[in-house]
Amino acid sequence: MKTTLMLAVCAAAMIAAGCGESTAASDKNVSSEIASAESSAVITETAVTAVSAETETQAVENDESSQTEMTEENIDELNESSAEAQGILTSADDLCLYDTDGGNVNYAFTYADEEYYAYYTPDNWKIVDSYKINSKADMLIICEALSDIHPLHGSDGESFREPEDMAYEWIQHNIAYKLLPEGDRWKDNAKDVDLNPADQGKSIYQMYKDKTGGEPVEDS
């Protein structure tokens, strides 16, 4: 009986010892797997962060490049684009141009279902948000309509400006707004065109230099 009891105790001890070793081994394996997974997660997160940072940097560089690239070729393309753009106006009547307050200086007109404002001061027509209008054909009609109300003198102080050279000045402002980088102090000014004697016949480079004393960008 004693022998049987002792054998049972020994067997229980051996089973307990075996379970302990198995549990310990299992715990060790689990710990190893967790450590491996955590290490893999850290590596993956680092790689993703690096790729994201590189992608973001590249996007910023591409954006800056597209904003500051003011080459003669791009300027010529935008000039041609305005000249070739299909107009939506057939005559000044389509503008529904009217005096907003009866003072003969503050006007409004409709273009593409949007209302625009044109303000006259001596020898100056200011068209607000002019950058939105890109068809030279339509610019000519608008400029002629404004000139019929208040003609502008030319740069010589004696002649009067024609719709053709007024539209050219307008297009130069549009080019400046499109190509100048964000943060350039003249970009915001370029969104509204001021048609006046001083800027008659001037290119975007000439106007920018006159107004800021510098060049828009380095020629590439």
Side-chain angles (χ1 to χ4, degrees):
M1 181 73 174
K2 252 184 202 182
T3 301
T4 302
L5 182 59
M6 288 186 65
L7 287 173
V9 170
C10 287
M14 289 176 67
I15 292 171
C19 288
E21 289 176 1
S22 176
T23 301
S26 177
D27 289 345
K28 185 175 181 181
N29 289 336
V30 170
S31 297
S32 177
E33 290 174 0
I34 291 174
S36 177
E38 289 177 347
S39 176
S40 177
V42 170
I43 293 172
T44 301
E45 183 178 357
T46 303
V48 169
T49 301
V51 170
S52 297
E54 184 178 355
T55 302
E56 183 176 351
T57 300
Q58 187 64 45
V60 170
E61 289 175 352
N62 289 341
D63 186 53
E64 290 177 348
S65 174
S66 65
Q67 288 179 330
T68 59
E69 190 177 348
M70 187 180 286
T71 64
E72 289 185 6
E73 182 180 358
N74 282 346
I75 290 174
D76 287 344
E77 287 178 356
L78 289 171
N79 273 313
E80 291 175 8
S81 175
S82 291
E84 295 172 357
Q86 184 69 38
I88 62 173
L89 302 175
T90 58
S91 71
D93 292 338
D94 295 336
L95 295 170
C96 300
L97 181 66
Y98 70 96
D99 186 342
T100 61
D101 56 13
N104 200 32
V105 291
N106 300 321
Y107 286 81
F109 62 89
T110 301
Y111 182 84
D113 297 323
E114 184 174 348
E115 190 165 57
Y116 289 80
Y117 295 93
Y119 304 117
Y120 178 78
T121 53
D123 259 348
N124 190 100
W125 273 111
K126 182 186 191 72
I127 304 173
V128 179
D129 289 337
S130 53
Y131 76 95
K132 296 179 180 180
I133 302 175
N134 293 293
S135 167
K136 182 180 178 181
D138 289 343
M139 292 178 190
L140 289 170
I141 292 175
I142 295 169
C143 290
E144 184 171 8
L146 296 178
S147 292
D148 286 344
I149 299 171
H150 291 295
L152 303 176
H153 280 100
S155 57
D156 60 7
E158 297 180 0
S159 62
F160 287 95
R161 297 194 60 173
E162 298 291 336
E164 182 71 30
D165 69 70
M166 294 168 70
Y168 176 77
E169 181 184 343
W170 186 339
I171 292 170
Q172 302 315 295
H173 275 72
N174 284 1
I175 291 173
Y177 187 81
K178 184 175 182 63
L179 295 183
L180 287 174
E182 295 295 336
D184 186 290
R185 62 192 179 90
W186 198 51
K187 184 180 179 73
D188 287 339
N189 291 336
K191 83 179 189 69
D192 308 326
V193 65
D194 283 283
L195 301 168
N196 54 55
D199 290 332
Q200 182 181 26
K202 289 183 178 179
S203 69
I204 174 60
Y205 282 110
Q206 291 171 314
M207 285 194 288
Y208 188 92
K209 190 170 184 178
D210 287 349
K211 295 178 187 298
T212 67
E215 298 291 339
V217 292
E218 294 294 328
D219 289 338
S220 59

